[in-house]
Amino acid sequence: MRNIAHIVTNLRIVIVAMATMLLSAFNAEAQEVATRYTVGDVANNEIVDSVDFDLSLPVLTEGDGKMYYIRKINMHGVKYLNHSILKASAGLQEGDSIYLPSKFISNAMQRLWAPRYFSNVQIGATIEGDSLDLEVFLKERARILRWKIDGVSKSKEKDLIEEVLKLRRNTELSDYVIDKNIKLIKEHYAEKGFRTCEVDVRITNDSLYEQCVNVTFDVDRGPKVRVGVINFEGNDAFDDKRLRRTFKKTHQKSILFFQNRKLLPEEYDADKELLLDFYNSRGYRNATILSDSIYYIDDATLGIDIKVSEGNKYYIRNINWVGNSVYTTEQLSQMFGVQPGDVYDKKSMHKRLGIGKEMNPEEISISSLYNNNGYLLSQIEPAEIVVGPDSLDLEIRVFEGKPFTINEVGITGNVRVDDEVIRRELYVRPGELYNRALLMQTMRTLMGMGHFDEQAILPDVQPISDELVNINWPLQEKASDQFNIAGGWGSGTFVGSIGVTLNNLSIRNFFKKGAWRPYPSGQNQKLSISGQTNGTYYKALSLSFTDPWLGGRRPNSFTLSGYISEQNNAYYIWQTATMYYRSVGVFAGLGKRMQWPDPYFTFYGELGYQHYGLKGWDSFILSDGNANTLSLKLVLQRSSVDAPFFSRSGSEFTLSVQATPPFSLWDGKNYADPALSDQDRYRWIEFHKWLLKGRWYFPLTANQNLVLMLGAEMGYLGHYNKDKVSPFERFEIGGDGMTGYNIYGVDIISLRGYEDGALDPSDYYSVAYNKYTMELRYPVILKPNSSIYVLGFLEGGSGFNSWREFSPFKIKRSAGVGVRLYLPVVGMLGIDWGYGFDPAFGKTKRSGSQFHFVLGQQF
């Protein structure tokens, strides 16, 4: 018995010694957390109250090998957290039985560690026979009640806390949390050019709440550091100025004050790659950067020295194709376009081969030639064999593989849009050869539907054997219906408008039980209803319905629309109108997608009838009587843009002609007779109206965020008889293009920097016009629930009284900036500020500053 007691005593001494060492290490760590960044009240480690561990209790290990009954669970060191919740979260419950050894204790400790509420966790026990009392020893961390950043403005402090650091209240205090946020603050300011930013930390106990601290970061941004000079050494073929131009993001001080002179490591590394790409494209395949150094010229200026080794300029001696059997060497060589004797140009060669970082699935290349004909896993590998100090042979190895057939095409993520509606838009179908060009065309078509997040449309291409491939389209639906409320100023009065557009209607489900949620949907049919009024003076109502797949079998659209409007002189509700202008119109059109010259073309034909009734309307050419228009409109359109709201690439082109029958050729009236009444002259309106519009989109950066849009358009209203020129269907030039007030069938052409209609040469609008636009666009947010981009523009255009006066070079110029916001329920909203550099018609002073509001997509 004495030996057993002696052994137990020794074990107790060993356990106490081990526990003492653990607690000593823990206390040292806690003291470091409390004092490393602290001043004032926390200097004496008052942040965390100490826990008195009872070292006479054994620290529980997993070597007892027996079933025990948990009699009690005692929590030690916890003052501010609920004991019952802690026990439950750790999986500890009085009355349970546990088998030791097991992972029960270690799992309980891990659960207590997980929320990071504690800086130390230990579990011991008092054992009596088959029962034990668990002793849980915890060391509570201090909680951070408030975050504060000194040295910055209030708005910047809020932005740093919420957006950059994403700090939350009631989080634990630890070295990791403090160090991480110091690093993030320094990185944030380094990206803005403050490379010498210093950050100190103050931690103080909160005056109201125990166990809580307030953390303050003291930020000293220091001076903004910019690149002053970039020097090159070892360059003989190109001077320093030419080499600096290869850098897209890193620039030295120059007269181009708007250039970025900040030095960001990622951008600088990318620019060095561009430097080598430039050398490679000029034949210097062995060009390398031997070294580069960055140094301070003064506190606010950096210098960069780059030492290069150019090597020899190489030429291509021979070109050999290996492994090609599907296409002949002559076919591939003709498409490759590189001849023996040409200067070595790695970038151009890779672009034509369609490999590496120069690969673009939208462009024609050797790779796309194979991918568009089923060879999904084909590979093109050029091998360069140096045969002299300035010559090399190209051996282009082609691994064709087998042609792949599409096995299955899946669609996921669609809830509101029916599967059949999506499938009929797909250009890739089961049983057909894999074709990357058709895959890209399908992406553009799905984006153009407007029901899915454009940024998330990416096909999942999965080969399932050496000859079959599955294609899945994971879609993310977004709200596409729109409710618009707008207002505008026209004809001396404010006009309000309200409209509802349902973009996913299903007529065939109108009488289907349970389909009204809140309306029958799923077939991509469009119904639009809008009304305009200012009370009693002006009223208008329009309705339009479009089925993009009439009958559901072919992509032939059907559109039916109509409108009714009235303007009178009853300015108040108790007045009776003595003069009025009324118009009614109905239109029916058919559209067709074309496969020639390419799938981007569509053709649309529309037959329309309009009736105009006037009484005492002295402000117009026809003051009393009725006028009628019967016209046929034909529209040829091509659109290859990649997204409807923020287009990064592609183009839009529209040519339309609208014409009435030439009634004056057979009605027998002498329209040259000045005595002919206006009613007889304009009973049947005749004209031919031409519109030509085009837009082109060019990405200017590698990530395609900075986009250049170029636009040009012109219009002309012609006549068959010079004595019967139509007073209707003319053009109003100038303003934002959305006055909300439109009569006489006038097309409103926006031109920012000028007031509405300011560029019409007469009171009866314009017979012809031209317009040119250049915009730089940059996205701020591109998400399904909201998208925003900013823009800067140059614009010019003018209106003309006749085709004889028309000139594409006579324009009124403007420039400005703007922003566009897309909300799924509302549609597109925008505001522009424009400055007109020229006087409007009838004015002597330049138009000057103008603000414009935009509602809806314009083209």
Side-chain angles (χ1 to χ4, degrees), residues 584-626:
V584 178
V586 291
F587 307 89
L590 292 173
K592 179 178 177 58
R593 295 184 192 175
M594 304 175 66
Q595 297 301 316
W596 184 89
D598 61 44
Y600 300 121
F601 277 88
T602 59
F603 183 77
Y604 178 77
E606 180 182 85
L607 184 65
Y609 170 76
Q610 293 170 278
H611 173 78
Y612 306 96
L614 302 94
K615 177 182 177 182
W617 206 253
D618 297 331
S619 60
F620 192 56
I621 297 175
L622 177 63
S623 58
D624 290 280
N626 297 284

Side-chain angles (χ1 to χ4, degrees), residues 817-834:
V817 294
V819 61
R820 296 291 182 271
L821 165 66
Y822 179 81
L823 299 174
V825 177
V826 180
M828 193 180 79
L829 306 172
I831 183 172
D832 293 323
W833 172 83

Side-chain angles (χ1 to χ4, degrees), residues 1-286:
M1 293 295 293
R2 290 182 180 179
N3 291 335
I4 294 174
H6 181 70
I7 292 171
V8 170
T9 302
N10 290 338
L11 285 174
R12 184 178 293 275
I13 293 172
V14 171
I15 293 171
V16 169
M18 292 176 63
T20 303
M21 288 188 291
L22 286 171
L23 289 174
S24 299
F26 157 70
N27 288 331
E29 184 269 340
Q31 180 71 23
E32 181 184 359
V33 173
T35 59
R36 182 175 175 186
Y37 301 108
T38 58
V39 296
D41 294 340
V42 251
N44 297 319
N45 193 23
E46 296 178 0
I47 297 175
V48 183
D49 291 330
S50 62
V51 178
D52 296 326
F53 288 93
D54 186 357
L55 300 181
S56 64
L57 296 172
V59 177
L60 190 62
T61 65
E62 297 185 0
D64 297 333
K66 186 178 179 181
M67 181 73 73
Y68 292 95
Y69 169 77
I70 301 177
R71 188 170 55 190
K72 290 183 64 178
I73 301 173
N74 300 315
M75 309 292 291
H76 302 274
V78 179
K79 294 184 178 181
Y80 306 103
L81 297 174
N82 186 283
H83 287 202
S84 298
I85 295 177
L86 288 175
K87 291 176 186 178
S89 65
L92 302 175
Q93 185 173 349
E94 294 174 353
D96 281 355
S97 296
I98 61 173
Y99 184 80
L100 298 177
S102 70
K103 293 185 177 181
F104 179 83
I105 298 301
S106 60
N107 289 341
M109 294 180 67
Q110 289 176 3
R111 294 189 191 102
L112 290 170
W113 277 115
R116 303 182 68 175
Y117 292 149
F118 309 107
S119 59
N120 194 27
V121 176
Q122 294 186 41
I123 298 179
T126 302
I127 301 175
E128 292 183 4
D130 294 336
S131 301
L132 59 79
D133 294 341
L134 287 179
E135 311 293 341
V136 182
F137 300 95
L138 303 172
K139 186 82 168 181
E140 286 185 300
R141 291 184 186 272
R143 312 301 293 174
I144 300 173
L145 184 64
R146 293 182 183 87
W147 299 93
K148 193 174 183 343
I149 301 178
D150 287 345
V152 299
S153 65
K154 291 294 183 182
S155 60
K156 186 62 181 177
E157 178 186 23
K158 182 179 179 182
D159 180 64
L160 281 170
I161 291 176
E162 296 180 359
E163 303 297 331
V164 179
L165 305 179
K166 294 180 172 56
L167 298 176
R168 296 178 299 164
R169 299 178 63 176
N170 200 34
T171 55
E172 78 281 354
L173 175 67
S174 67
D175 287 352
Y176 169 76
V177 172
I178 299 299
D179 290 340
K180 181 191 74 171
N181 287 293
I182 288 176
K183 182 180 178 181
L184 288 174
I185 293 174
K186 289 184 176 181
E187 289 177 352
H188 173 75
Y189 279 104
E191 290 178 358
K192 296 183 177 299
F194 299 96
R195 296 173 61 87
T196 60
C197 175
E198 294 292 336
V199 181
D200 292 325
V201 179
R202 287 182 285 116
I203 304 175
T204 57
N205 283 334
D206 189 80
S207 58
L208 297 178
Y209 299 96
E210 295 186 46
Q211 200 68 14
C212 292
V213 298
N214 299 319
V215 177
T216 302
F217 295 103
D218 292 313
V219 178
D220 179 10
R221 297 185 308 175
K224 180 170 283 190
V225 181
R226 303 177 186 273
V227 177
V229 63
I230 302 175
N231 299 316
F232 292 90
E233 181 184 350
N235 52 309
D236 297 322
F238 307 99
D239 59 21
D240 287 13
K241 183 178 180 180
R242 181 65 187 90
L243 296 183
R244 291 189 198 105
R245 282 166 48 197
T246 65
F247 283 13
K248 300 302 181 185
K249 296 291 186 179
T250 310
H251 305 284
Q252 70 172 24
K253 185 178 182 180
S254 69
I255 60 174
L256 301 177
F257 62 89
F258 56 85
Q259 279 189 333
N260 173 40
R261 290 175 53 211
K262 294 181 295 185
L263 180 64
L264 301 180
E266 297 83 2
E267 294 180 351
Y268 177 55
D269 291 340
D271 283 338
K272 288 191 290 185
E273 290 296 325
L274 292 177
L275 174 65
L276 296 180
D277 287 346
F278 169 75
Y279 267 110
N280 291 163
S281 68
R282 298 301 191 274
Y284 296 89
R285 67 182 297 273
N286 295 330

